Amino acid sequence: MTRPDADVLIAGGGLAAQRCCETLRRQGFGGRIVVLCEEPTAPYDRPPLSKAVLSDERERRTPTLKPAEWYAEHGVELLLGVAARELDPARRLLTLRERRGTGAAGRLRYRELVIATGSRPRRLPGLELGGVAHELRTHADALALRAALRERDGRLAVLGAGLVGMEVAAAARGLGREVTLIEAAATPLARALPPALGYWIARLHREHGVEVRLASSVERVSLRGSTARLELSDGSTVDADTVLVAAGTAPATEWLATSGLGPGAIPTDAAGRTAHPGVYAAGDAARFPDPYLGERVPSQHWEAAVRQGTAVARAIVGLAPAEPVPPMFWSDQHGHRIQLVGHAPPDCEIELDGNPTAGSGQFAAWITRAGRPIGALLVDRPDALQHARQWIAAAHAGHTAQPTTANHRNTPAGPGPSDTRRAA
Ligand code: FAD
């Protein structure tokens, strides 16, 4: 093979990429690392974009993961404003494009490639929302939304009651805005939570003055000056001067269409290896095996990006991935810290510890399927996180079900803790 331009080339400069670089250097990797960042900024953290960046008067800076000097000190080359355009896995060659240009910005040969391009907000085809429309993925999106929430009057309509939509609804209420949350499913977070828990979240928002419209979708839009009139499927209308489209995300892997990987989240093994030799994927763009579900799932959450970026770096230096732990995401809404550990499938049983309708709102919901622990929803119970993980992992230890294909080597789940306690 011709000498590569990069020993490790990372497409996408976000959380998974940064954790991959950090782990590589910590493990003593001495090769050349190059990171392609489509945005004009060094890797930064996205959770503050729907929280402090909107609600905190002073918080306008990009929440970078490391200061600029860190990359220089650790020999990590960031190519800012340069995107991956096409992959030729047989020749280990990546074609680049400038962010705003259409022409190619050159090609790079790699020894190992890490796909860490994250995800992008889904668009709602057919809805012309004009200048009132916002989406939220980048820091630039957050600053534009922040300005709209602070400088305009009138109602914010949020289309989609997923994590980002609900966090923005909460932040906007905190700023005194009128808010309508419109969700096509019967409950918020319908893909992550069963109806009983989704209703609790809807109720939380209603208690804080958010108008929650469930099982409703926007059928038509008419623009009247700086206001959008949204016609909903139930025949009602909502007038909004700011609209956030928060209808979920799709992996940013469209550029891989000709490579045999993508579009869609890229399936990997537990070390992040894809079906192509020398090509790894991590973070929102990847679909790692989840031993607790027995299938590969796109996780699209912060902690998964950290673990997966780390796992890929370990694989590159010849180390096995860390033992799996039940996945977790968190969300901050109306002053409450909400954490889902493991999974809450629709056919689960729920045992409550604490009263969700009590003033404090603090409770834990212990989730089982066919009698077996599989998840926990913790509301203002960070103290219970470790126990929840152990409870799920211990139950899983006797029931390991791993996806298998000829292309992927999976690491079996490790043993659970011995001191499992019955919850609730
Ligand atoms: P990203 O961090 O998105 O980084 C990918 C980078 O790749 C981006 O900078 C993108 O511009 C770049 N890119 C895309 N295409 C290309 C290309 N072709 N070439 C080069 N670069 C490219 N998770 C939680 O668990 N809790 C939360 O509270 C939470 N809050 C969130 C709030 C918001 C507003 C958002 C958007 C996400 C939130 N998340 C949260 C999810 C979490 O931030 C993501 O799961 C995590 O950032 C994924 O990391 P990543 O590295 O895969 O992708």
Side-chain angles (χ1 to χ4, degrees):
M1 175 180 160
T2 320
R3 193 177 154 70
D5 301 297
D7 295 300
V8 174
L9 177 59
I10 306 184
L15 177 61
Q18 194 279 327
R19 290 305 160 99
C20 182
C21 296
E22 197 174 344
T23 308
L24 281 169
R25 290 302 188 225
R26 193 179 305 130
Q27 294 296 339
F29 180 78
R32 184 176 177 203
I33 304 175
V34 177
V35 185
L36 305 178
C37 304
E38 184 177 37
E39 294 176 67
T41 36
Y44 62 88
D45 215 12
R46 288 174 206 274
L49 305 183
S50 49
K51 306 175 184 69
V53 174
L54 298 181
S55 53
D56 188 332
E57 188 59 47
R58 293 151 301 165
E59 195 54 78
R60 291 178 60 93
R61 287 162 303 162
T62 312
T64 46
L65 291 161
K66 293 284 177 193
E69 313 81 82
W70 185 89
Y71 297 93
E73 285 163 9
H74 290 80
V76 174
E77 298 168 50
L78 300 180
L79 300 187
L80 301 183
V82 177
R85 191 177 73 164
E86 198 170 3
L87 169 64
D88 180 345
R91 293 162 68 203
R92 297 201 176 203
L93 198 61
L94 196 71
T95 305
L96 318 179
R97 76 174 153 75
E98 288 170 31
R99 184 163 180 249
R100 301 220 177 272
T102 48
R107 298 192 293 184
L108 289 177
R109 277 183 198 285
Y110 60 85
R111 193 186 305 278
E112 322 266 4
L113 174 70
V114 183
I115 297 165
T117 43
S119 54
R120 299 188 204 284
R122 286 186 201 278
R123 303 263 156 86
L124 292 175
L127 291 188
E128 291 301 328
L129 287 158
V132 302
H134 290 261
E135 59 183 23
L136 182 52
R137 183 74 197 172
T138 66
H139 187 239
D141 295 337
L143 291 183
L145 181 60
R146 173 191 162 104
L149 292 178
R150 284 160 189 269
E151 291 161 17
R152 290 194 205 165
D153 295 324
R155 183 169 292 273
L156 165 72
V158 178
L159 312 188
L163 283 186
V164 169
M166 289 193 296
E167 289 191 343
V168 173
R173 282 301 297 146
L175 293 170
R177 291 289 299 260
E178 296 298 317
V179 180
T180 301
L181 182 60
I182 300 163
E183 167 58 49
T187 50
L189 279 180
R191 270 179 296 158
L193 294 181
L197 296 174
Y199 280 125
W200 173 79
I201 295 197
R203 187 189 143 120
L204 174 71
H205 280 265
R206 287 183 173 126
E207 281 172 359
H208 285 83
V210 177
E211 186 191 11
V212 181
R213 303 280 195 94
L214 300 172
S216 294
S217 52
V218 180
E219 305 247 296
R220 265 177 300 280
V221 179
S222 47
L223 295 171
R224 299 160 182 230
S226 60
T227 304
R229 171 155 290 184
L230 311 178
E231 295 179 35
L232 305 193
S233 48
D234 62 6
S236 65
T237 58
V238 173
D239 288 339
D241 84 323
T242 308
V243 178
L244 175 71
V245 179
T249 57
T253 54
E254 68 292 335
W255 60 279
L256 290 162
T258 59
S259 70
L261 302 169
I266 300 161
T268 72
D269 70 2
R273 295 183 193 90
T274 72
H276 288 311
V279 180
Y280 301 78
D284 286 6
R287 194 147 48 95
F288 266 56
D290 181 328
Y292 303 93
L293 280 183
E295 57 188 277
R296 289 189 178 80
V297 286
S299 81
Q300 311 213 319
H301 297 302
W302 190 94
E303 194 184 86
V306 167
R307 290 185 189 279
Q308 294 171 8
T310 304
V312 165
R314 289 176 63 88
I316 290 171
V317 298
L319 297 173
E323 290 294 339
V325 295
M328 184 278 291
F329 69 77
W330 84 93
S331 178
D332 294 335
Q333 298 174 33
H334 302 294
H336 293 283
R337 167 59 55 105
I338 300 167
Q339 294 168 300
L340 180 70
V341 192
H343 301 279
D347 57 343
C348 67
E349 304 94 41
I350 299 164
E351 194 173 338
L352 287 178
D353 172 11
N355 182 358
T357 60
S360 73
Q362 187 186 61
F363 73 97
W366 301 98
I367 299 162
T368 52
R369 182 162 65 177
R372 180 180 147 205
I374 188 163
L377 182 76
L378 309 175
V379 177
D380 295 332
R381 289 289 312 273
D383 56 299
L385 176 62
Q386 196 54 26
H387 169 59
R389 281 202 151 123
Q390 292 175 350
W391 184 62
I392 298 162
H396 169 77
H399 298 80
T400 302
Q402 287 276 342
T404 51
T405 71
N407 282 335
H408 298 94
R409 279 168 282 164
N410 292 306
T411 303
S418 53
D419 63 338
T420 311
R421 291 172 285 142
R422 281 292 304 160

